[in-house]
Amino acid sequence: MSYEVKSLNEECGVFGVWGHPDASRVVYFGLHSLQHRGQEGAGIVSNDQGRLRGHRDLGLLSEVFSDENKLTKLKGNAAIGHVRYATAGNGSVDNIQPFLFKFYDSQIALAHNGNLTNAKTLRRELEKDGAIFHSNSDTEILMHLIRRSQQPTLNGQLKEALNQVKGGFAYLLITEDAIVAALDPNGFRPLSIGQMKNGAYVIASETCALEVSGAAFVRDVQPGELVIINEEGITIEQYTTETQHAICAMEYIYFARPDSNIARVNVHTARKEMGRRLAQEAPVEADMVIGVPNSSLSAASGYAEYSGIPYELGLVKNQYVARTFIQPTQELREQGVRMKLSAVRGVVEGKRVILVDDSIVRGTTSRRIVNLLKEAGAKEVHLRIASPPLKYPCFYGIDIQTRKELIAANHSIEEIKECVKSDTLAFLSEQGLIDSIGLTFDAPYSGLCMAYFNGDYPTPLYDYEEQYQASLQEQTSFF
Amino acid sequence: MSYEVKSLNEECGVFGVWGHPDASRVVYFGLHSLQHRGQEGAGIVSNDQGRLRGHRDLGLLSEVFSDENKLTKLKGNAAIGHVRYATAGNGSVDNIQPFLFKFYDSQIALAHNGNLTNAKTLRRELEKDGAIFHSNSDTEILMHLIRRSQQPTLNGQLKEALNQVKGGFAYLLITEDAIVAALDPNGFRPLSIGQMKNGAYVIASETCALEVSGAAFVRDVQPGELVIINEEGITIEQYTTETQHAICAMEYIYFARPDSNIARVNVHTARKEMGRRLAQEAPVEADMVIGVPNSSLSAASGYAEYSGIPYELGLVKNQYVARTFIQPTQELREQGVRMKLSAVRGVVEGKRVILVDDSIVRGTTSRRIVNLLKEAGAKEVHLRIASPPLKYPCFYGIDIQTRKELIAANHSIEEIKECVKSDTLAFLSEQGLIDSIGLTFDAPYSGLCMAYFNGDYPTPLYDYEEQYQASLQEQTSFF
Amino acid sequence: MSYEVKSLNEECGVFGVWGHPDASRVVYFGLHSLQHRGQEGAGIVSNDQGRLRGHRDLGLLSEVFSDENKLTKLKGNAAIGHVRYATAGNGSVDNIQPFLFKFYDSQIALAHNGNLTNAKTLRRELEKDGAIFHSNSDTEILMHLIRRSQQPTLNGQLKEALNQVKGGFAYLLITEDAIVAALDPNGFRPLSIGQMKNGAYVIASETCALEVSGAAFVRDVQPGELVIINEEGITIEQYTTETQHAICAMEYIYFARPDSNIARVNVHTARKEMGRRLAQEAPVEADMVIGVPNSSLSAASGYAEYSGIPYELGLVKNQYVARTFIQPTQELREQGVRMKLSAVRGVVEGKRVILVDDSIVRGTTSRRIVNLLKEAGAKEVHLRIASPPLKYPCFYGIDIQTRKELIAANHSIEEIKECVKSDTLAFLSEQGLIDSIGLTFDAPYSGLCMAYFNGDYPTPLYDYEEQYQASLQEQTSFF
Amino acid sequence: MSYEVKSLNEECGVFGVWGHPDASRVVYFGLHSLQHRGQEGAGIVSNDQGRLRGHRDLGLLSEVFSDENKLTKLKGNAAIGHVRYATAGNGSVDNIQPFLFKFYDSQIALAHNGNLTNAKTLRRELEKDGAIFHSNSDTEILMHLIRRSQQPTLNGQLKEALNQVKGGFAYLLITEDAIVAALDPNGFRPLSIGQMKNGAYVIASETCALEVSGAAFVRDVQPGELVIINEEGITIEQYTTETQHAICAMEYIYFARPDSNIARVNVHTARKEMGRRLAQEAPVEADMVIGVPNSSLSAASGYAEYSGIPYELGLVKNQYVARTFIQPTQELREQGVRMKLSAVRGVVEGKRVILVDDSIVRGTTSRRIVNLLKEAGAKEVHLRIASPPLKYPCFYGIDIQTRKELIAANHSIEEIKECVKSDTLAFLSEQGLIDSIGLTFDAPYSGLCMAYFNGDYPTPLYDYEEQYQASLQEQTSFF
């Protein structure tokens, strides 16, 4: 049940609230609007007068809480929740968050969005020292670091732990008397604070979850910040001052919901601007502009607006998910592809089409969509990608960890065009992307992480360094 | 799990294939593209060398066939299937189609899209004569009429039966040696024939299901036609010649998928034209045009195109369905509404918005959407409806059977505007609708059924006449 | 999930109550004590102030009503229920009873225990006359006969219908104002009436269900009787006077629960007496008597008592059902057998054992049990069967419809002994069985049906005659 | 779904095999025969060429592995499994065993039967030192002790850990190259070794599981022993020499299956002897002896044999489990009780009955059974208990942890008789119990733990000492 017809996956979303009598319901609604960030599993932990209670399971949020009693039992006026994205073949409930820990002296639950770059090293050191891990998730590491810290307070223990983990992370914790959030020193992943009408504070991976909760935007959590919300209100501290913005560009391009703002930039508006810039950089004569639903519709309308070529609904996405395991046989295989996306023959037949997509990973989906349009009678298909070619893996929380999967890491633009069988092909330039988003941080690329496009990683790669260097030598053919 | 945020429901979709080695899979894929026509239940019956086998259950198609074995068991090279729409509170599997009948001398399965106007009378007469019904569905009536006919052949029995039932119907039957389809004398419901590359014939409620099966469009089934597909090919007969086109206008406005063609008119194109005509009939000065996703996006883009006002993504629809039973409490009630639809603050804040919707039933949804936009900072919201006001019930297969539910049957346009709290409100004219669709049949309204707008029913109402006359006297306030 | 480690199956149990505020709960408890009569499915229909409501499904009673709401919805002070036995490979909910029929003028539900011998003929005639059946079950036939009767009252229609059906049947109906029961003219199947403390009448397939409901035994329903229970109390009529007792002997031998009385004879006491008589007819020197749990424990204790040889627990039955589909492979196959039954090595090692079983069908189970005991060290195993050899099929409601499955129809006692590998083997005589049960009806065999032992069927076989005659010519080897 | 109509619960069963190509299937069959020791959950971990794989869940074994694929995936020729007993209200899968641990350098899984008396203290110390626990189970403690041990080998680490835990325990571990078992220094819980025909070793909580696996008994694991089975065969070491037999007497009286041998004494034979001794110690004139099914049937037959009074089937246990949550209302409450157990009126009516039960916990069940018999017409009911009065809690693995639940801890025998409303009441003497079982160990009570009867605990109570002393002061009335 994927959000889009693409194999790019975000790693998780978090949501928390402090100070609302129906805290777990607020979290349920918040997580529902973050479901696109993870569909493998979901969980919520509430604070019921100092006692933490949780429920988590595999499946969509609506499946995990299909029995309303499961939500009703999560009493209390504070709660945090998590949606986890699906990795192939590792469907264990042990990895579903928040993780809830009950100690003789305290209780803590923990949720995490991101990816650590020194997890393997930390885990090995901890195990050598007697630690026992119960999941494959990196998330557990932070808790071991906290419990082994010699600092006298949880605040101190947490700061010490946060300075040991490296990579991209947005942590959300709930304790007996507070909810706590922390963002990595580069702010790879988004994390925002809002406030409900009754004064309750909420924290969410995307601002769309603030809207759905009726919460007003307060501010974004900044790199290196530790946010504590408790009975005395909200306190923001720095656990480190060595910070520099490197916000994940793919959040703007593909992951985030168009109604979210990241670093105060609206995602739909950024995408529309990418489409306008793309029209300027790579114009082509045609009868209509079509976007791949749903993530590319903003960019497509921007392209249409700038170029003056009509924007049309040439592709329809089926809103009902098909069981992928019902495999078509023989000649039906091709029909199976059509279950997710249909070309509108009545619109495209005999027409020259500009097809706008947000990105290309393997190229497989692009080839199929071009083919759909041609079969429906499109005379020409000009593929326009509203971001630069993806050439390098991500180690901060996006599910591309090898160059092998990336067609642009292995082939030229001309070769990709041959592969996807479009009449022409063009990508947005790196500068075009940066300008379209329009961040103004005093940092490389105005505060964006552009590593997937140019390999310029904002941090050391730690455990991944060796694997990364090796991958630079490899070449895979997609033909 | 509704297709749209609206309380208008279509009654069912049918799909059949003859001559394909994986017939039940072809039907599965076809039904998947018709899922928007019914989500309560689904079923498939296949013909395995003359022996009919079936599976049906409550739930979405993907749930009914979540175990692939259930599909694999439906062997054979012909099959028919059905998706049923959800009526409140009557969730019995006994009503899920196709109905499969096994007699000592033959086997038949039957699926139905539509609504009979003389069902009650026929059923009572049959029961008085000893007939036993096993469902609440009108569909069973046809089978009793067939079995009681004194005609010597099934073809003769079927024709006799079809002349006894009145109203809107598209029947699809499978026997031991054929699939058979029949359309009512007014052609209220759409039904089209296609042909796959291997020569197999398919019949479907909408042409989008032909596309997904890789079938080429052959022709629409015409009012009063009986279509027989068997080993000798396709035969089309008239079971009556007293026919006159009255195609359901709501199929174009709301129900059908935009990639379908009905009577050779593309639905997206018709909707876009409705939007253009609406812009012409009811212009207003504004900063942007926004459509209610997903059914009104075509009309909105048409309005934008004609008016020259930019088309924007101001509303986002959550693709993940929320359990509606998880009821928000107190102040959360309003947040609950936001789970399906979100306004994009970054787009609409401080702007004058033209909001295009396809229709208004109760007005509740419109009021909520206007409110969402205003809360997100829209300065003005001008509501434009791309169809005429809904004032009369439908008895031919759409789930509006009383005027009480229709705000436009009970209030003036000015009152509706007050109710939904938009700054202005306008509807498309009846002639505007007829022109936008552009049918050319030699029949009233060029071949459209316009009864919901003007009460001009193309047939007698039979069992419903009394109830209808009474409803004309009633008035319900929506304030 | 079979009651015993044997392949003999009863066909169903019925239970009804009139006059209790928690009628459906009373039925639930009653059916629970009849669960051994059928495990494929269960259902209950209640009368809620004249409106019938039902729920039925595949599975054990506790599974069908696993959600208590399903029981709570069946309001009203009268209800009937049914448990259905499992036939291989026909798991459709359509066959689960009671069948609930809603007509324009009335509502009736119907449940049935037994088997008709002229069902095929009746069904064909009805279908030729336009009747439509919705299940494979014979049970539906009665309803068609009722609805087609020209009699003016339901009572008259029912009597006319009961005189048309032949074979073994105990029917239980619920209407808008009564529950009605009817027994076939031979009384093949048991059916008893009881009364609760509050005056409510109950009807049940076995008296154990009266006990569980706290109802006192009133009387057995007699052959050819029609029992009507309504607001005016209980009325018993004869729908035919051509009756003669032929109570199923297998009910005493195997099917019924030991705490039930049939025709006022306690089943446990009858079985114990069979064991005593068997000890008298077929004595053997040994160290202990062991019964096959659970159905043969009564007979074994009778054998021990008469012979003076100690009764021991030499076989233990696992109370937890194993999934039979988890098939052991290779050498594990034999261990798999041991999951249901274990020999107690500490008891039987080095001992001469008399193994008492109630009957032998295919001989497979007997061979396995003898083998279990020998592997556990038993020196000798003397098999004693507390009933005569099963040689002929049953057409009145027991699941043996062919002689092919019966080892005793195909082999001599000496051959059976070789097959099951016991040291000696003996069966109870026919007269011994008749005497042990001790009925005193003025009818052949004192009122028992002994057909499975001697082929003396108390009625014509109608539709089965031909098949039966053919089977007499066949011979199947079990070696 | 309890094994008996009693509130005494065993804590778990373990089973392991080394050297069989279908190891997980062997474990499945073994656990199936141990299901009576725990019904809350079950799990299996297999060793697939050094890689451990597991599956565990809440529910009966047949439910946990209802999908055969789950078993098939557990490849390998060694495996261990566990069944867990149900404690009220703590249904978390986190507590279901075996626990599977994956470290950077090794993998281990662990299952446990028993109860530690110093768990709370150990856990607190470990947590203070940074350990993180993931379940409420004591079982995890051993793993933390192992991982923190400074010993160079797993064998050394395990021995060190085993000397730190106190109480009753039978541990079963599987590593990458062995399965390992350990028994506490008193041998409270049973644990036996067997060998299959192919040479594979099995270890099981009861010998009935050896039988079901076709394994021959090799020897019992002795107190203080550590058993290692690997490619080189079986090795048995002592991790401590401070041992003394104190085998749980309740295993003989109630928990173990009658076909099991504990310390080479057959359980059925021991129970029968308890019945004989009881007949000698507490004779009474009567017409019949009846046992409470199923656990008291052996004792009842012993009583009958010694007294010469006929043994009868006066109580029938329903083999189908009723949903307990379907609560009867008002007058139905009493009928609900009858769902599990029925008195056989035809047997007991007008008779003087000796009712043999194995033990009395709260007295509630006894009172109900006496009442059942009286209602079925029994003239007198003489209750005979085949064990001494239960007066003290158990801390070694049986679910009686407070004296409040024990009627005999709070009332005299005369008072109990009044409470359960039997005509007479007698218990077996302590010496009678010891003699009946007939152990010959050089230890108090011949090697039995008799603490529940006399408060003579064979070990210090550690964490429980304080609670126990307090409980001695309390008195609860059961009237």
Side-chain angles (χ1 to χ4, degrees), chain A residues 22 66 272 312 319 325 329, chain B residues 22 66 272 294 312 325 329:
Chain A
D22 292 308
S66 63
K272 193 167 177 184
E312 289 288 348
Q319 301 195 36
F325 74 82
T329 57
Chain B
D22 291 309
S66 63
K272 192 167 178 185
N294 288 328
E312 288 290 347
F325 73 83
T329 58

Side-chain angles (χ1 to χ4, degrees), chain A residues 22 25 29 32 66 211 214 257 268 272 294 312 317 319-320 325 327 329 338-339 342 345, chain B residues 22 25 29 32 66 211 214 257 268 272 294 312 317 319-320 325 327 329 338-339 342 345:
Chain A
D22 292 308
R25 267 183 172 65
F29 296 133
H32 183 253
S66 63
E211 291 286 332
R257 267 189 26 177
H268 160 72
K272 193 167 177 184
N294 288 327
E312 289 288 348
K317 180 152 173 272
Q319 301 195 36
Y320 298 94
F325 74 82
Q327 286 304 334
T329 57
R338 299 177 185 171
M339 296 186 75
S342 306
R345 178 178 299 276
Chain B
D22 291 309
R25 266 182 173 66
F29 296 133
H32 183 254
S66 63
E211 291 286 333
R257 266 189 26 178
H268 161 71
K272 192 167 178 185
N294 288 328
E312 288 290 347
K317 182 153 172 270
Q319 300 195 38
Y320 298 94
F325 73 83
Q327 286 304 334
T329 58
R338 300 177 185 171
M339 297 186 73
S342 307
R345 178 177 299 274

Side-chain angles (χ1 to χ4, degrees), chain B residues 343-420:
Chain B
V344 186
R345 178 177 299 274
V347 168
V348 303
E349 199 161 28
K351 297 294 167 54
R352 295 168 302 167
V353 171
I354 298 170
L355 174 65
V356 178
D357 203 351
D358 49 67
S359 54
I360 291 186
V361 184
R362 297 189 62 86
T364 324
T365 303
S366 299
R367 189 171 62 234
R368 286 174 177 162
I369 297 174
V370 170
N371 187 44
L372 271 183
L373 290 169
K374 295 243 167 156
E375 283 201 350
K379 209 163 64 183
E380 296 171 11
V381 178
H382 302 278
L383 183 57
R384 292 294 177 272
I385 307 300
S387 63
L390 284 169
K391 292 184 179 172
Y392 299 89
C394 169
F395 305 110
Y396 307 122
I398 291 174
D399 184 32
I400 316 174
Q401 297 209 354
T402 157
R403 299 181 77 226
K404 283 185 197 168
E405 317 167 26
L406 299 171
I407 191 169
N410 296 274
H411 292 286
S412 70
I413 292 181
E414 182 60 27
E415 286 171 337
I416 299 172
K417 194 204 78 178
E418 291 303 316
C419 178
V420 304

Side-chain angles (χ1 to χ4, degrees), chain A residues 114-131:
Chain A
N115 191 60
L116 303 187
T117 45
N118 66 338
K120 201 173 159 188
T121 301
L122 286 173
R123 187 173 178 132
R124 182 169 298 204
E125 284 166 7
L126 284 162
E127 287 197 351
K128 276 186 184 159
D129 196 35

Side-chain angles (χ1 to χ4, degrees), chain C residues 13-234:
Chain C
V14 296
F15 188 94
V17 62
W18 178 273
H20 193 287
D22 290 309
S24 64
R25 269 184 171 65
V26 174
V27 172
Y28 179 89
F29 294 134
L31 288 181
H32 182 253
S33 69
L34 299 175
Q35 183 81 80
H36 61 287
R37 297 182 73 86
Q39 296 96 42
E40 191 196 27
I44 297 178
V45 170
S46 76
N47 178 329
D48 183 8
Q49 299 184 302
R51 186 173 164 202
L52 303 192
R53 304 166 184 271
H55 177 66
R56 57 177 182 157
D57 210 343
L58 295 167
L60 291 176
L61 183 72
S62 59
E63 295 165 346
V64 173
F65 291 95
S66 62
D67 176 356
E68 187 172 10
N69 285 333
K70 288 185 174 148
L71 197 57
T72 304
K73 280 181 186 163
L74 303 181
K75 291 204 179 75
N77 55 23
I80 65 170
H82 187 267
V83 288
R84 181 180 157 88
Y85 101 110
T87 45
N90 182 12
S92 166
V93 74
D94 290 343
N95 291 321
I96 304 304
Q97 308 184 19
F99 292 147
L100 174 51
F101 301 92
K102 300 205 170 185
F103 302 106
Y104 75 98
D105 60 346
S106 63
Q107 302 174 36
I108 309 183
L110 173 61
H112 174 217
N113 171 26
N115 191 62
L116 303 187
T117 46
N118 65 337
K120 201 174 159 188
T121 301
L122 287 173
R123 187 174 178 132
R124 181 167 300 203
E125 283 167 8
L126 285 162
E127 287 197 350
K128 277 186 183 158
D129 195 37
I132 296 181
F133 282 79
H134 291 262
S135 71
N136 300 325
S137 164
D138 293 356
T139 307
E140 228 183 311
I141 289 169
L142 192 78
M143 190 53 56
H144 283 279
L145 294 174
I146 289 170
R147 295 296 295 184
R148 279 153 190 265
S149 164
Q150 300 300 316
Q151 295 293 327
T153 66
L154 178 60
N155 185 289
Q157 292 160 6
L158 188 51
K159 282 182 181 168
E160 187 175 310
L162 289 168
N163 278 289
Q164 290 172 270
V165 293
K166 304 296 176 192
F169 52 80
Y171 283 114
L172 191 53
L173 294 86
I174 187 164
T175 70
E176 289 149 1
D177 51 19
I179 65 172
V180 182
L183 191 62
D184 69 70
N186 295 95
F188 288 110
R189 311 259 64 92
L191 194 62
S192 301
I193 304 170
Q195 192 165 24
M196 298 180 79
K197 284 166 192 161
N198 78 338
Y201 282 103
V202 302
I203 294 197
S205 286
E206 289 187 32
T207 63
C208 67
L210 304 185
E211 291 287 333
V212 92
S213 316
F217 175 78
V218 172
R219 75 191 278 284
D220 292 317
V221 180
Q222 299 298 320
E225 283 188 348
L226 180 67
V227 180
I228 301 118
I229 303 170
N230 57 22
E231 291 227 327
E232 291 158 27
I234 190 166

